[in-house]
Amino acid sequence: MSLNLTKATGTDYFLTKELLVALLVLLVTLVLFILWKKSRATKSDVLLVGLCDSGKTALFSYLSFNKPIQSFMSQVENIAEYKSKKSLLRLVDIPGHERVFPKYWEMYKMNCKGVMFVIDSETVQTNICDVAELLYRILTDDTIQSNKVKIMIVCNKQDKLMAKGAEVIKTLLENELDTLKLTKMSQLESIDGKKNKSLLGRKKKHFDFSHCPMPVEFAEIISACQDVVLEPVVNWLEKMQ
Ligand SMILES: Nc1nc2c(ncn2[C@@H]2O[C@H](COP(=O)(O)OP(=O)(O)O)[C@@H](O)[C@H]2O)c(=O)[nH]1
Ligand SMILES: [Mg+2]
């Protein structure tokens, strides 16, 4: 009798221990999930990046104040709140000058939810190397990739006579990014002698934006002159949560 009791108590003890472990695992998962949700929810910045003169400040001022603000050679960031239907965002216009860009990029990328990559559609073909180099840096950034930050390639200045459309710009960029990808891969290989994984897209395939781990969209806009057209960008911001 007393032996049976001991056995029963032992099994109970074992079951209770298992239950406790399961509860503990559940609790830790729950805490981690809440922390993860919270960290995603607190990311609220949408960064405007691009070469100088692409129209970042013009776009920033129309989105924030519905009118142009005086644009000097921006050396510091412009910040304003943006209320979308789903969330309160913060727009940050990052200076494009290569001397100051890295400092602001490092400062704001951690809290970033979306990137608007602004392009001057008129001069894009002549500046394709610089445009692609900057875009490559953003698309291959560890933080941007692991947080699956949404990217919008904003083809600005569509009112200009010689402006290229989004489809043409997409092809130009895919070709240039593919060349860059191969160059960077061979540079990495020559440094450590190993066959490296591609940092952008798929290793043996021509680069295509659909190979990126984050969603990349294109839009055509006009952010200065009489007929400002911002609808695609506004719709993209509205979807952000
Ligand atoms: N025609 C035209 N000019 C634009 C457009 N967007 C910006 N600009 C002009 O391009 C110049 C550079 O714009 P800015 O916003 O200062 O560029 P940022 O250096 O990227 O901030 C300014 O003279 C703007 O008025 C556009 O959509 N169409
Ligand atoms: Mg500016």
Side-chain angles (χ1 to χ4, degrees), residues 52-53 55-58 71-76 78 93-96:
C52 293
D53 263 356
K56 299 178 295 295
T57 307
S71 175
F72 302 104
M73 276 290 284
S74 331
Q75 294 290 320
V76 291
N78 292 307
D93 168 22
I94 307 263

Side-chain angles (χ1 to χ4, degrees), residues 81-206:
E81 277 189 351
Y82 182 91
K83 237 183 189 156
S84 79
K85 281 186 197 123
K86 291 182 177 163
S87 52
L88 183 64
L89 302 168
R90 199 169 70 143
L91 298 179
V92 188
D93 168 22
I94 307 263
H97 201 288
E98 61 192 89
R99 262 190 300 114
V100 287
F101 172 79
K103 173 180 140 195
Y104 290 103
W105 174 247
E106 292 305 316
M107 202 189 283
Y108 286 101
K109 70 174 186 181
M110 302 305 286
N111 193 36
C112 150
K113 201 170 203 164
V115 171
M116 289 193 218
F117 187 86
V118 187
I119 291 177
D120 180 338
S121 309
E122 191 188 43
T123 60
V124 61
Q125 199 153 16
T126 357
N127 294 335
I128 193 70
C129 293
D130 293 340
V131 177
E133 185 82 43
L134 183 60
L135 185 56
Y136 181 91
R137 178 181 182 147
I138 286 152
L139 294 177
T140 56
D141 189 290
D142 280 348
T143 313
I144 300 299
Q145 287 199 353
S146 56
N147 290 344
K148 296 216 178 345
V149 169
K150 294 185 173 68
I151 312 276
M152 165 146 281
I153 314 243
V154 182
C155 307
N156 192 30
K157 306 197 186 183
Q158 287 295 315
D159 57 300
K160 297 244 182 163
L161 205 61
M162 301 303 281
K164 303 268 179 297
E167 272 306 312
V168 175
I169 295 179
K170 185 168 179 267
T171 310
L172 284 172
L173 284 173
E174 281 176 343
N175 291 339
E176 195 60 31
L177 285 167
D178 191 64
T179 311
L180 256 179
K181 173 184 103 171
L182 297 174
T183 315
K184 305 268 182 193
M185 267 167 69
S186 64
Q187 279 171 356
L188 284 172
E189 275 173 29
S190 66
I191 293 169
D192 68 9
K194 284 187 218 134
K195 294 245 177 267
N196 272 288
K197 236 177 78 182
S198 169
L199 296 172
L200 183 75
R202 298 181 191 148
K203 200 174 170 189
K204 286 186 179 152
K205 290 233 163 105
H206 189 275

